[in-house]
Amino acid sequence: MILMMLPPSSVLQNTRKLFLSEQLGRTQITEFARKNAANALSLANLVMGLSSILCSLNRHHQCACWLLIVGFLLDLADGAVARQLNACSPLGAKLDDYADFTSFGLATGLLLHADGILDGLLVIVYVLAVFTRLCFFSSGIPFMYRGLPCPYASSILACTSLLTGGHLVVLRTVAVIMILFMVDQGFYPHDKVLESQLWKKIVFAIGVLMMFCSPSILACMYYLIWSISYILFPGFLWSCKEDL
């Protein structure tokens, strides 16, 4: 009724303003989504880590392990999404570090079942190794890490726990080996699974499919072989050709 009482020129102007405001709103939403897509993945990784901690505290150890493996996939994806969308930021880097420390440090340490003083000491040393790895990962060489990236150590521990039924001796032995790899300051390539050769993208895609569509033992073996291959053949398999 009000629009009918206005002159045609006023109606046209109001319609144009409404259209422009809606268009501006969509643009702002799209830009917000672009800038925060990678942050959402890092936040999801953080949630996986916190959920894994709760599962470990309530003795749901298998669920805790699978949540860490999901976090492993999310961590591989968030950096690729940030670079693809040109949305890298200091906030995103900090959020990624907090998520990594929670999932691959605290939550993974709880898989070791700290039931005594020595066991608790091992958990503390493992968490400190992850902390050190996150603080001093830069090697000074482009596209190279110094020390084994903690997501791979976490993946190996989670898969070992699932495959051995949480056998403590085996778990703690593997944990000690992972600590040595993380603090030895050896060079490891920035794998860029989703930004490199096609076969690496296929490895990632198969990992996602196996998470939801295959028997748990096969999925565990797949992630274990994937993570160990990164340790044994870092340069031969996992260096990006364009980075060499």
PDB file of all heavy atoms in Angstrom, residues 3-24:
ATOM      1  N   LEU A   3       4.041   1.466  -1.046  1.00  0.00           N
ATOM      2  CA  LEU A   3       4.739   1.572  -2.322  1.00  0.00           C
ATOM      3  C   LEU A   3       3.839   2.110  -3.414  1.00  0.00           C
ATOM      4  O   LEU A   3       4.282   2.850  -4.294  1.00  0.00           O
ATOM      5  CB  LEU A   3       5.283   0.199  -2.732  1.00  0.00           C
ATOM      6  CG  LEU A   3       6.446  -0.332  -1.880  1.00  0.00           C
ATOM      7  CD1 LEU A   3       6.827  -1.737  -2.326  1.00  0.00           C
ATOM      8  CD2 LEU A   3       7.647   0.594  -1.957  1.00  0.00           C
ATOM      9  N   MET A   4       2.528   1.776  -3.375  1.00  0.00           N
ATOM     10  CA  MET A   4       1.597   2.258  -4.392  1.00  0.00           C
ATOM     11  C   MET A   4       1.393   3.762  -4.265  1.00  0.00           C
ATOM     12  O   MET A   4       1.116   4.447  -5.250  1.00  0.00           O
ATOM     13  CB  MET A   4       0.260   1.536  -4.247  1.00  0.00           C
ATOM     14  CG  MET A   4       0.329   0.044  -4.583  1.00  0.00           C
ATOM     15  SD  MET A   4      -1.235  -0.800  -4.321  1.00  0.00           S
ATOM     16  CE  MET A   4      -2.263   0.086  -5.515  1.00  0.00           C
ATOM     17  N   MET A   5       1.530   4.327  -3.053  1.00  0.00           N
ATOM     18  CA  MET A   5       1.338   5.752  -2.836  1.00  0.00           C
ATOM     19  C   MET A   5       2.566   6.561  -3.234  1.00  0.00           C
ATOM     20  O   MET A   5       2.484   7.760  -3.444  1.00  0.00           O
ATOM     21  CB  MET A   5       1.010   6.020  -1.365  1.00  0.00           C
ATOM     22  CG  MET A   5      -0.315   5.405  -0.913  1.00  0.00           C
ATOM     23  SD  MET A   5      -0.559   5.547   0.858  1.00  0.00           S
ATOM     24  CE  MET A   5      -0.565   7.350   1.027  1.00  0.00           C
ATOM     25  N   LEU A   6       3.754   5.891  -3.351  1.00  0.00           N
ATOM     26  CA  LEU A   6       4.973   6.602  -3.719  1.00  0.00           C
ATOM     27  C   LEU A   6       5.049   6.807  -5.224  1.00  0.00           C
ATOM     28  O   LEU A   6       4.481   6.029  -5.999  1.00  0.00           O
ATOM     29  CB  LEU A   6       6.198   5.801  -3.277  1.00  0.00           C
ATOM     30  CG  LEU A   6       6.401   5.673  -1.752  1.00  0.00           C
ATOM     31  CD1 LEU A   6       7.545   4.722  -1.473  1.00  0.00           C
ATOM     32  CD2 LEU A   6       6.667   7.035  -1.109  1.00  0.00           C
ATOM     33  N   PRO A   7       5.778   7.849  -5.669  1.00  0.00           N
ATOM     34  CA  PRO A   7       5.999   8.046  -7.108  1.00  0.00           C
ATOM     35  C   PRO A   7       6.787   6.877  -7.688  1.00  0.00           C
ATOM     36  O   PRO A   7       7.547   6.214  -6.982  1.00  0.00           O
ATOM     37  CB  PRO A   7       6.821   9.344  -7.157  1.00  0.00           C
ATOM     38  CG  PRO A   7       6.584  10.022  -5.852  1.00  0.00           C
ATOM     39  CD  PRO A   7       6.344   8.934  -4.857  1.00  0.00           C
ATOM     40  N   PRO A   8       6.625   6.602  -8.979  1.00  0.00           N
ATOM     41  CA  PRO A   8       7.340   5.483  -9.607  1.00  0.00           C
ATOM     42  C   PRO A   8       8.843   5.574  -9.417  1.00  0.00           C
ATOM     43  O   PRO A   8       9.516   4.552  -9.233  1.00  0.00           O
ATOM     44  CB  PRO A   8       6.949   5.593 -11.088  1.00  0.00           C
ATOM     45  CG  PRO A   8       5.644   6.301 -11.061  1.00  0.00           C
ATOM     46  CD  PRO A   8       5.694   7.252  -9.911  1.00  0.00           C
ATOM     47  N   SER A   9       9.424   6.777  -9.480  1.00  0.00           N
ATOM     48  CA  SER A   9      10.870   6.930  -9.325  1.00  0.00           C
ATOM     49  C   SER A   9      11.313   6.514  -7.922  1.00  0.00           C
ATOM     50  O   SER A   9      12.350   5.884  -7.730  1.00  0.00           O
ATOM     51  CB  SER A   9      11.295   8.370  -9.595  1.00  0.00           C
ATOM     52  OG  SER A   9      10.625   9.259  -8.696  1.00  0.00           O
ATOM     53  N   SER A  10      10.522   6.820  -6.902  1.00  0.00           N
ATOM     54  CA  SER A  10      10.862   6.450  -5.532  1.00  0.00           C
ATOM     55  C   SER A  10      10.793   4.937  -5.342  1.00  0.00           C
ATOM     56  O   SER A  10      11.612   4.336  -4.652  1.00  0.00           O
ATOM     57  CB  SER A  10       9.917   7.138  -4.549  1.00  0.00           C
ATOM     58  OG  SER A  10      10.040   8.539  -4.642  1.00  0.00           O
ATOM     59  N   VAL A  11       9.774   4.332  -5.943  1.00  0.00           N
ATOM     60  CA  VAL A  11       9.662   2.870  -5.872  1.00  0.00           C
ATOM     61  C   VAL A  11      10.875   2.211  -6.500  1.00  0.00           C
ATOM     62  O   VAL A  11      11.436   1.254  -5.965  1.00  0.00           O
ATOM     63  CB  VAL A  11       8.367   2.410  -6.565  1.00  0.00           C
ATOM     64  CG1 VAL A  11       8.316   0.885  -6.618  1.00  0.00           C
ATOM     65  CG2 VAL A  11       7.149   2.954  -5.845  1.00  0.00           C
ATOM     66  N   LEU A  12      11.307   2.737  -7.650  1.00  0.00           N
ATOM     67  CA  LEU A  12      12.460   2.168  -8.351  1.00  0.00           C
ATOM     68  C   LEU A  12      13.724   2.318  -7.508  1.00  0.00           C
ATOM     69  O   LEU A  12      14.534   1.391  -7.416  1.00  0.00           O
ATOM     70  CB  LEU A  12      12.632   2.859  -9.706  1.00  0.00           C
ATOM     71  CG  LEU A  12      13.764   2.330 -10.603  1.00  0.00           C
ATOM     72  CD1 LEU A  12      13.533   0.862 -10.919  1.00  0.00           C
ATOM     73  CD2 LEU A  12      13.850   3.144 -11.884  1.00  0.00           C
ATOM     74  N   GLN A  13      13.893   3.485  -6.880  1.00  0.00           N
ATOM     75  CA  GLN A  13      15.075   3.717  -6.049  1.00  0.00           C
ATOM     76  C   GLN A  13      15.091   2.791  -4.834  1.00  0.00           C
ATOM     77  O   GLN A  13      16.123   2.238  -4.476  1.00  0.00           O
ATOM     78  CB  GLN A  13      15.120   5.176  -5.597  1.00  0.00           C
ATOM     79  CG  GLN A  13      15.457   6.157  -6.716  1.00  0.00           C
ATOM     80  CD  GLN A  13      15.432   7.603  -6.244  1.00  0.00           C
ATOM     81  OE1 GLN A  13      15.122   7.876  -5.090  1.00  0.00           O
ATOM     82  NE2 GLN A  13      15.751   8.513  -7.141  1.00  0.00           N
ATOM     83  N   ASN A  14      13.922   2.638  -4.196  1.00  0.00           N
ATOM     84  CA  ASN A  14      13.856   1.751  -3.033  1.00  0.00           C
ATOM     85  C   ASN A  14      14.140   0.305  -3.407  1.00  0.00           C
ATOM     86  O   ASN A  14      14.799  -0.435  -2.673  1.00  0.00           O
ATOM     87  CB  ASN A  14      12.470   1.856  -2.382  1.00  0.00           C
ATOM     88  CG  ASN A  14      12.264   3.177  -1.675  1.00  0.00           C
ATOM     89  OD1 ASN A  14      13.231   3.812  -1.258  1.00  0.00           O
ATOM     90  ND2 ASN A  14      11.017   3.612  -1.564  1.00  0.00           N
ATOM     91  N   THR A  15      13.621  -0.115  -4.578  1.00  0.00           N
ATOM     92  CA  THR A  15      13.876  -1.477  -5.044  1.00  0.00           C
ATOM     93  C   THR A  15      15.357  -1.688  -5.321  1.00  0.00           C
ATOM     94  O   THR A  15      15.919  -2.728  -4.977  1.00  0.00           O
ATOM     95  CB  THR A  15      13.061  -1.759  -6.318  1.00  0.00           C
ATOM     96  OG1 THR A  15      11.675  -1.539  -6.053  1.00  0.00           O
ATOM     97  CG2 THR A  15      13.260  -3.190  -6.778  1.00  0.00           C
ATOM     98  N   ARG A  16      15.994  -0.679  -5.937  1.00  0.00           N
ATOM     99  CA  ARG A  16      17.420  -0.782  -6.246  1.00  0.00           C
ATOM    100  C   ARG A  16      18.252  -0.860  -4.963  1.00  0.00           C
ATOM    101  O   ARG A  16      19.191  -1.636  -4.865  1.00  0.00           O
ATOM    102  CB  ARG A  16      17.855   0.420  -7.094  1.00  0.00           C
ATOM    103  CG  ARG A  16      19.313   0.338  -7.563  1.00  0.00           C
ATOM    104  CD  ARG A  16      19.702   1.543  -8.416  1.00  0.00           C
ATOM    105  NE  ARG A  16      18.917   1.562  -9.630  1.00  0.00           N
ATOM    106  CZ  ARG A  16      18.203   2.615 -10.037  1.00  0.00           C
ATOM    107  NH1 ARG A  16      18.159   3.704  -9.293  1.00  0.00           N
ATOM    108  NH2 ARG A  16      17.530   2.566 -11.163  1.00  0.00           N
ATOM    109  N   LYS A  17      17.886  -0.036  -3.974  1.00  0.00           N
ATOM    110  CA  LYS A  17      18.605  -0.059  -2.707  1.00  0.00           C
ATOM    111  C   LYS A  17      18.461  -1.411  -2.011  1.00  0.00           C
ATOM    112  O   LYS A  17      19.417  -1.945  -1.450  1.00  0.00           O
ATOM    113  CB  LYS A  17      18.091   1.048  -1.788  1.00  0.00           C
ATOM    114  CG  LYS A  17      18.504   2.450  -2.217  1.00  0.00           C
ATOM    115  CD  LYS A  17      17.944   3.484  -1.259  1.00  0.00           C
ATOM    116  CE  LYS A  17      18.338   4.894  -1.691  1.00  0.00           C
ATOM    117  NZ  LYS A  17      17.773   5.927  -0.782  1.00  0.00           N
ATOM    118  N   LEU A  18      17.254  -1.968  -2.059  1.00  0.00           N
ATOM    119  CA  LEU A  18      17.013  -3.263  -1.443  1.00  0.00           C
ATOM    120  C   LEU A  18      17.841  -4.339  -2.123  1.00  0.00           C
ATOM    121  O   LEU A  18      18.457  -5.196  -1.474  1.00  0.00           O
ATOM    122  CB  LEU A  18      15.528  -3.611  -1.508  1.00  0.00           C
ATOM    123  CG  LEU A  18      15.120  -4.962  -0.894  1.00  0.00           C
ATOM    124  CD1 LEU A  18      15.467  -5.007   0.596  1.00  0.00           C
ATOM    125  CD2 LEU A  18      13.636  -5.222  -1.113  1.00  0.00           C
ATOM    126  N   PHE A  19      17.893  -4.288  -3.474  1.00  0.00           N
ATOM    127  CA  PHE A  19      18.664  -5.272  -4.229  1.00  0.00           C
ATOM    128  C   PHE A  19      20.152  -5.143  -3.916  1.00  0.00           C
ATOM    129  O   PHE A  19      20.852  -6.150  -3.710  1.00  0.00           O
ATOM    130  CB  PHE A  19      18.419  -5.078  -5.726  1.00  0.00           C
ATOM    131  CG  PHE A  19      19.273  -5.954  -6.606  1.00  0.00           C
ATOM    132  CD1 PHE A  19      18.990  -7.297  -6.758  1.00  0.00           C
ATOM    133  CD2 PHE A  19      20.388  -5.430  -7.252  1.00  0.00           C
ATOM    134  CE1 PHE A  19      19.784  -8.109  -7.559  1.00  0.00           C
ATOM    135  CE2 PHE A  19      21.188  -6.234  -8.050  1.00  0.00           C
ATOM    136  CZ  PHE A  19      20.878  -7.570  -8.202  1.00  0.00           C
ATOM    137  N   LEU A  20      20.667  -3.905  -3.858  1.00  0.00           N
ATOM    138  CA  LEU A  20      22.084  -3.687  -3.585  1.00  0.00           C
ATOM    139  C   LEU A  20      22.453  -4.121  -2.170  1.00  0.00           C
ATOM    140  O   LEU A  20      23.526  -4.688  -1.944  1.00  0.00           O
ATOM    141  CB  LEU A  20      22.441  -2.209  -3.788  1.00  0.00           C
ATOM    142  CG  LEU A  20      22.400  -1.710  -5.227  1.00  0.00           C
ATOM    143  CD1 LEU A  20      22.649  -0.200  -5.290  1.00  0.00           C
ATOM    144  CD2 LEU A  20      23.429  -2.446  -6.086  1.00  0.00           C
ATOM    145  N   SER A  21      21.554  -3.868  -1.215  1.00  0.00           N
ATOM    146  CA  SER A  21      21.836  -4.274   0.159  1.00  0.00           C
ATOM    147  C   SER A  21      21.864  -5.799   0.282  1.00  0.00           C
ATOM    148  O   SER A  21      22.702  -6.356   0.993  1.00  0.00           O
ATOM    149  CB  SER A  21      20.797  -3.684   1.113  1.00  0.00           C
ATOM    150  OG  SER A  21      19.509  -4.203   0.841  1.00  0.00           O
ATOM    151  N   GLU A  22      20.947  -6.475  -0.423  1.00  0.00           N
ATOM    152  CA  GLU A  22      20.954  -7.939  -0.410  1.00  0.00           C
ATOM    153  C   GLU A  22      22.211  -8.486  -1.064  1.00  0.00           C
ATOM    154  O   GLU A  22      22.818  -9.443  -0.582  1.00  0.00           O
ATOM    155  CB  GLU A  22      19.710  -8.473  -1.120  1.00  0.00           C
ATOM    156  CG  GLU A  22      18.411  -8.244  -0.358  1.00  0.00           C
ATOM    157  CD  GLU A  22      17.208  -8.786  -1.105  1.00  0.00           C
ATOM    158  OE1 GLU A  22      17.397  -9.234  -2.262  1.00  0.00           O
ATOM    159  OE2 GLU A  22      16.105  -8.791  -0.538  1.00  0.00           O
ATOM    160  N   GLN A  23      22.617  -7.859  -2.170  1.00  0.00           N
ATOM    161  CA  GLN A  23      23.827  -8.289  -2.870  1.00  0.00           C
ATOM    162  C   GLN A  23      25.062  -8.080  -1.997  1.00  0.00           C
ATOM    163  O   GLN A  23      25.951  -8.937  -1.940  1.00  0.00           O
ATOM    164  CB  GLN A  23      23.964  -7.528  -4.186  1.00  0.00           C
ATOM    165  CG  GLN A  23      25.024  -8.083  -5.122  1.00  0.00           C
ATOM    166  CD  GLN A  23      25.010  -7.369  -6.453  1.00  0.00           C
ATOM    167  OE1 GLN A  23      24.782  -6.162  -6.518  1.00  0.00           O
ATOM    168  NE2 GLN A  23      25.245  -8.102  -7.524  1.00  0.00           N
ATOM    169  N   LEU A  24      25.100  -6.928  -1.292  1.00  0.00           N
ATOM    170  CA  LEU A  24      26.216  -6.651  -0.398  1.00  0.00           C
ATOM    171  C   LEU A  24      26.254  -7.663   0.743  1.00  0.00           C
ATOM    172  O   LEU A  24      27.320  -8.137   1.139  1.00  0.00           O
ATOM    173  CB  LEU A  24      26.097  -5.228   0.152  1.00  0.00           C
ATOM    174  CG  LEU A  24      27.194  -4.776   1.132  1.00  0.00           C
ATOM    175  CD1 LEU A  24      28.558  -4.822   0.449  1.00  0.00           C
ATOM    176  CD2 LEU A  24      26.902  -3.377   1.654  1.00  0.00           C
TER     177      LEU A  24
END
